């Protein structure tokens, strides 16, 4: 038993030895995610695969090379020569087949790489957006928890003051009991928020690729985003990821249509070279060439010109699909513009409400301070003080939440526009 406990202690000490104390800003958190996040690593492998395919996209024009060797032992005399001598032969051939689809194959691989790059950039921005949103949501949770803790500490001090008054005979037992209940009732809420914050922090560490044993501290603030200036917003549709992706889809559809036309109408060129040599064993025959030839050919499909053929129908269907993609692109442009306008309205509303909430917090703080002074002098009861305190906590929480709403709206707008995160709030 002692041996098992010793081993357990060693393992625990080893775990603590590898734990790190990390204090990160939002930019450092993003950097950690770019280095360690699983989604980022998967996106990198997908892009590397597209790069390989593009690098060797010409491989359909690679020649086919083959060689052969044959040993033939007759089991009966040759009817023509009367010989039963075995024979040996070797040969080889090179064949090349060229089609118009070679161009579209190379173009398709290039377009796939460009689409892969867009998808890769989207994956990185998605991870970064997620990191930034969670980072600021954790800051909000920490601020709300700190507000609740301060409220509990104030209630504790009030209870201790009342206890001293009660011991001196200056306060009734009922008032003492009310202050005790007010203090103790705050503990479950604080404990619940602490547990939620711990769980959220563990999930955030997983997003950053950190160990569970690492102690992570966030360094930052929700303030400063009110400096957002709408005049800095420039809508450049050609830089928006969703539109760039749809444009590449249209290019791919056009290239696929061209490939189908090549298949239905285009000629196929072929060239080949073959050589063979052999000899009959035991007869004294010298080893010499048996075949030596070059072949050239061209094949032109004719059924593709018939309007009811498979190729012709496929061409018409692809034209319809291409028109649909173009309509979707125009619709996406309008949707993007509406999304930007909605984000701007949300930001304006958040800025306006923050100014109002700041005044509310100032008023609530003054009301609470005056009520507390009056309570200490016996001019107000505990319920009045509790009501003033609840109003102050509510005002602070609403202000902090509205601040996060502003941060979130700015991040969404930056993501829609495809601009660097943080650039619109500087």
């Amino acid at each position: 038993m002692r041996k098992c406990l010793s081993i357990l202690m060693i393992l625990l000490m080893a775990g603590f030895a590898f734990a790190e104390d990390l204090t990160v800003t939002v930019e450092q958190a993003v950097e950690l995610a770019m280095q360690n996040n699983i989604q980022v690593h998967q996106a990198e492998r997908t892009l590397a695969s597209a790069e390989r395919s593009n690098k060797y996209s010409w491989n359909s024009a690679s020649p086919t090379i083959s060689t052969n060797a044959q040993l033939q032992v007759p089991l009966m005399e040759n009817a023509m020569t009367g010989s039963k001598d075995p024979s040996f032969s070797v040969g080889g051939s090179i064949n090349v087949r060229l089609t118009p689809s070679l161009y579209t194959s190379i173009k398709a691989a290039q377009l796939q790489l460009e689409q892969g790059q867009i998808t890769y950039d989207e994956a990185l921005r998605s991870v970064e957006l997620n990191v930034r949103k969670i980072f600021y949501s954790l800051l909000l949770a920490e601020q709300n928890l700190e507000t609740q803790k301060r409220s509990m500490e104030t209630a504790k001090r009030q209870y201790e003051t009342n206890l001293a008054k009660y011991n001196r005979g200056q306060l009734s037992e009922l008032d003492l009991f009310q202050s005790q209940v007010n203090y103790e009732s705050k503990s479950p809420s604080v404990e619940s928020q602490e547990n939620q914050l711990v769980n959220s922090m563990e999930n955030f560490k997983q997003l950053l690729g950190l160990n569970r044993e690492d102690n992570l501290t966030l360094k930052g603030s929700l303030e400063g985003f009110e400096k957002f200036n709408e005049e800095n917003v420039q809508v450049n549709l050609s830089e928006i990821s969703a539109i760039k992706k749809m444009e590449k889809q249209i290019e791919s559809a056009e290239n696929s249509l061209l490939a189908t036309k090549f298949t239905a109408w285009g000629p196929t060129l072929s060239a080949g070279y073959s050589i063979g040599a052999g000899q009959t064993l035991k007869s004294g025959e010298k080893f010499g060439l048996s075949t030596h030839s070059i072949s050239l050919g061209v094949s032109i499909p004719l059924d593709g010109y018939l309007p009811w053929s498979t190729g012709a129908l496929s061409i018409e269907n692809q034209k319809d699909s291409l028109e649909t993609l173009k309509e979707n692109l125009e619709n996406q442009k309008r949707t993007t513009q509406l999304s930007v306008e909605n984000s701007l309205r949300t930001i304006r509303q958040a800025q306006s409400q923050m100014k109002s909430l700041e005044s509310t917090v100032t008023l609530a703080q003054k009301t609470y301070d005056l009520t507390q002074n009056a309570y200490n002098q016996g001019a107000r009861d505990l319920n009045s003080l509790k009501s003033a305190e609840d109003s102050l906590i509510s005002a602070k929480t609403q202000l902090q939440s509205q601040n996060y709403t502003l941060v979130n709206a700015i991040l969404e707008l930056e993501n829609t526009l495809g601009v660097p995160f943080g650039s619109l709030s500087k």
Side-chain angles (χ1 to χ4, degrees):
M1 183 66 180
R2 290 182 178 178
K3 186 177 181 180
C4 292
L5 289 174
S6 300
I7 294 174
L8 181 60
M9 289 298 296
I10 291 173
L11 291 175
L12 288 173
M13 292 176 65
F16 285 119
F18 286 107
E20 294 186 54
D21 292 326
L22 299 174
T23 301
V24 299
T25 63
V26 65
E27 300 297 338
Q28 291 170 334
V30 169
E31 185 177 348
L32 284 172
M34 293 301 109
Q35 295 173 357
N36 305 320
N37 186 265
I38 294 176
Q39 186 178 346
V40 172
H41 293 167
Q42 292 174 346
E44 288 173 348
R45 288 194 293 270
T46 302
L47 180 61
S49 175
E51 289 174 343
R52 285 193 298 270
S53 297
N54 180 64
K55 183 178 180 181
Y56 299 110
S57 58
W58 51 267
N59 59 7
S60 62
S62 180
T64 302
I65 304 174
S66 64
T67 183
N68 62 80
Q70 183 180 21
L71 175 64
Q72 186 175 14
V73 181
L75 299 179
M76 60 181 292
E77 291 184 355
N78 189 305
M80 299 291 293
T81 63
S83 172
K84 294 180 62 176
D85 295 336
S87 61
F88 174 74
S89 63
V90 294
S93 64
I94 299 177
N95 294 283
V96 178
R97 188 170 180 269
L98 298 177
T99 67
S101 298
L102 174 61
Y103 166 78
T104 53
S105 297
I106 295 175
K107 183 67 175 178
Q110 179 184 350
L111 290 172
Q112 281 185 341
L113 176 58
E114 292 172 356
Q115 286 180 309
Q117 185 66 56
I118 295 173
T119 302
Y120 173 74
D121 293 338
E122 280 185 335
L124 264 59
R125 285 187 66 85
S126 175
V127 171
E128 182 174 355
L129 177 63
N130 199 21
V131 169
R132 289 178 181 271
K133 281 186 174 182
I134 295 177
F135 183 93
Y136 289 114
S137 69
L138 289 172
L139 288 181
L140 174 63
E142 288 178 344
Q143 289 182 3
N144 289 337
L145 177 60
E146 186 62 28
T147 299
Q148 294 293 334
K149 282 184 175 181
R150 286 198 299 268
S151 174
M152 187 171 69
E153 287 296 324
T154 301
K156 180 182 179 181
R157 289 193 301 269
Q158 193 64 58
Y159 165 68
E160 292 171 346
T161 300
N162 287 348
L163 180 60
K165 289 182 178 180
Y166 173 77
N167 292 333
R168 293 195 301 267
Q170 299 175 343
L171 194 70
S172 68
E173 184 177 359
L174 179 60
D175 289 338
L176 174 64
F177 182 68
Q178 286 178 338
S179 63
Q180 182 181 1
V181 171
N182 180 46
Y183 160 57
E184 293 177 350
S185 64
K186 294 180 181 295
S187 180
S189 177
V190 170
E191 184 177 351
S192 175
Q193 290 191 35
E194 285 179 336
N195 290 335
Q196 291 177 7
L197 181 58
V198 169
N199 292 337
S200 299
M201 189 67 75
E202 290 298 319
N203 292 331
F204 189 54
K205 286 193 289 187
Q206 183 178 1
L207 178 62
L208 301 186
L210 301 178
N211 297 321
R212 291 186 59 189
E213 297 79 11
D214 293 336
N215 299 315
L216 183 62
T217 303
L218 306 184
K219 181 181 179 181
S221 173
L222 290 169
E223 299 177 357
F225 287 86
E226 64 275 3
K227 297 178 182 178
F228 172 84
N229 188 352
E230 190 174 330
E231 295 179 357
N232 295 331
V233 176
Q234 301 293 331
V235 182
N236 186 358
L237 295 178
S238 62
E239 293 298 322
I240 294 175
S241 179
I243 293 177
K244 289 195 294 185
K245 180 179 285 188
M246 296 194 72
E247 288 174 343
K248 289 301 175 184
Q249 289 176 349
I250 290 175
E251 287 187 54
S252 295
E254 291 173 340
N255 185 68
S256 179
L257 175 59
L258 181 59
T260 303
K261 290 179 178 179
F262 282 158
T263 302
W265 303 331
T268 299
L269 303 177
S270 60
Y273 169 74
S274 62
I275 186 172
Q279 71 175 125
T280 303
L281 305 180
K282 298 182 180 180
S283 65
E285 178 184 343
K286 292 184 179 181
F287 191 81
L289 292 176
S290 59
T291 59
H292 193 201
S293 64
I294 294 176
S295 62
L296 299 173
V298 60
S299 173
I300 302 176
L302 298 178
D303 57 343
Y305 293 92
L306 302 176
W308 57 82
S309 67
T310 301
L313 293 175
S314 179
I315 289 172
E316 293 303 317
N317 291 335
Q318 285 182 275
K319 286 181 178 179
D320 292 339
S321 299
L322 183 58
E323 289 302 314
T324 300
L325 286 175
K326 290 180 178 179
E327 291 172 352
N328 291 340
L329 174 60
E330 294 303 316
N331 185 63
Q332 181 62 46
K333 290 179 179 179
R334 291 192 292 269
T335 301
T336 300
Q337 192 67 47
L338 289 175
S339 177
V340 171
E341 293 173 0
N342 289 337
S343 294
L344 289 174
R345 281 192 291 269
T346 302
I347 292 171
R348 293 189 207 108
Q349 181 180 8
Q351 288 176 318
S352 175
Q353 290 183 355
M354 280 184 63
K355 293 179 181 179
S356 176
L357 288 171
E358 286 171 356
S359 301
T360 302
V361 170
T362 302
L363 177 60
Q365 184 68 58
K366 290 181 179 180
T367 302
Y368 174 75
D369 292 340
L370 293 173
T371 304
Q372 187 176 41
N373 290 334
Y375 175 79
N376 292 335
Q377 296 172 7
R380 289 291 183 93
D381 58 13
L382 184 60
N383 289 333
S384 299
L385 179 62
K386 180 71 168 56
S387 177
E389 182 188 25
D390 290 343
S391 298
L392 177 59
I393 292 174
S394 176
K396 287 183 177 180
T397 302
Q398 289 179 16
L399 177 59
Q400 292 163 357
S401 298
Q402 194 62 43
N403 210 337
Y404 177 71
T405 299
L406 175 61
V407 172
N408 200 58
I410 293 176
L411 289 174
E412 286 290 349
L413 178 59
E414 290 172 337
N415 187 53
T416 301
L417 295 176
V419 299
F421 290 108
S423 60
L424 294 181
S425 55
K426 293 180 179 178

